[in-house]
C-alpha cells in the first residue's frame, strides 16, 4: 500500500509564543489543522469534499508529544502521514522538524470519524471515502 504524506513549511508567529519565548501548546492544534488542509488539497480529501458528500469529519482524538521546544526564530516544517485503516475514520500521524537542522521537535496523532448532517456517527465507510481510498492507495 502506498504511503501518502506531505510536508508543509510554516512560520511561527509572535502571537504563538509564551513568556518563555517557546510555542504555546495550543498552537500545535493549529499546525496540525494546517497540515490536514494541505493534505486535503494535495490528495483530494478536502473538508469541502467531505461536506459535499453529506458528512462531517470531527476530530475524536488529538495528541501531541513534545520533543524539543519550538522557538520564534525557527523555520519548522510539518509532515503529515495518512495511516490507512479499514474502519470508518481518517487517521494521521505528524512530525514537526526544524528545517534548518532536521531535528525532530514534536510528533502527533489525530483521528477523525464521519457523522451525517443529523450528527449521527457513521459506522461504515462512506462511498466517497471508499472511492478515495481505491484511487489513492492502489499500488
Amino acid at each position: 500500500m502506498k504511503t501518502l504524506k506531505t510536508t508543509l513549511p510554516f512560520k511561527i508567529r509572535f502571537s504563538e509564543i509564551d513568556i518563555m519565548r517557546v510555542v504555546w501548546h495550543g498552537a500545535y492544534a493549529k499546525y496540525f489543522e494546517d497540515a490536514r488542509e494541505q493534505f486535503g488539497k494535495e490528495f483530494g480529501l478536502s473538508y469541502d469534499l467531505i461536506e459535499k458528500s453529506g458528512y462531517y469529519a470531527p476530530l475524536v482524538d488529538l495528541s501531541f508529544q513534545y520533543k524539543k521546544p519550538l522557538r520564534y526564530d525557527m523555520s519548522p516544517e510539518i509532515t503529515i502521514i495518512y495511516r490507512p485503516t479499514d474502519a470508518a475514520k481518517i487517521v494521521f500521524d505528524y512530525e514537526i522538524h526544524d528545517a534548518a537542522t532536521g531535528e525532530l521537535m514534536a510528533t502527533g496523532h489525530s483521528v477523525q470519524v464521519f457523522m451525517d448532517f443529523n450528527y449521527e456517527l457513521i459506522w461504515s465507510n462512506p462511498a466517497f471515502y471508499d472511492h478515495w481510498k481505491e484511487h489513492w492507495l492502489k499500488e
Side-chain angles (χ1 to χ4, degrees):
M1 194 173 290
K2 283 186 188 177
T3 299
L4 302 181
K5 67 180 184 176
T6 191
T7 299
L8 176 69
F10 66 96
K11 301 260 188 231
I12 297 173
R13 299 175 344 156
F14 184 78
S15 63
E16 296 167 345
I17 63 172
D18 63 18
I19 191 93
M20 297 184 303
R21 299 191 58 80
V22 299
V23 170
W24 172 68
H25 65 274
Y28 286 80
K30 177 195 164 301
Y31 301 151
F32 286 21
E33 180 69 34
D34 291 344
R36 285 192 301 278
E37 286 185 8
Q38 180 62 33
F39 183 93
K41 288 176 189 172
E42 190 167 325
F43 293 103
L45 188 61
S46 68
Y47 289 123
D48 283 343
L49 171 66
I50 294 169
E51 189 173 359
K52 286 177 182 171
S53 299
Y55 302 94
Y56 298 122
L59 282 169
V60 294
D61 184 20
L62 182 63
S63 61
F64 318 112
Q65 295 79 43
Y66 309 102
K67 307 297 182 187
K68 295 189 172 201
L70 286 174
R71 292 188 166 77
Y72 180 63
D73 58 348
M74 297 176 93
S75 300
E77 59 186 18
I78 185 167
T79 299
I80 181 171
I81 305 111
Y82 175 80
R83 296 294 177 214
T85 177
D86 291 333
K89 56 185 169 181
I90 305 170
V91 180
F92 290 112
D93 291 327
Y94 307 84
E95 295 179 353
I96 297 177
H97 290 265
D98 179 354
T101 66
E103 281 187 282
L104 181 63
M105 308 306 287
T107 60
H109 180 78
S110 69
V111 177
Q112 294 169 268
V113 297
F114 296 102
M115 294 175 64
D116 64 20
F117 290 160
N118 293 318
Y119 302 98
E120 297 293 327
L121 187 61
I122 303 302
W123 292 97
S124 57
N125 283 316
F128 87 91
Y129 190 49
D130 277 337
H131 177 72
W132 180 86
K133 290 198 288 187
E134 287 172 13
H135 175 76
W136 285 100
L137 298 178
K138 66 183 175 191
E139 289 292 330

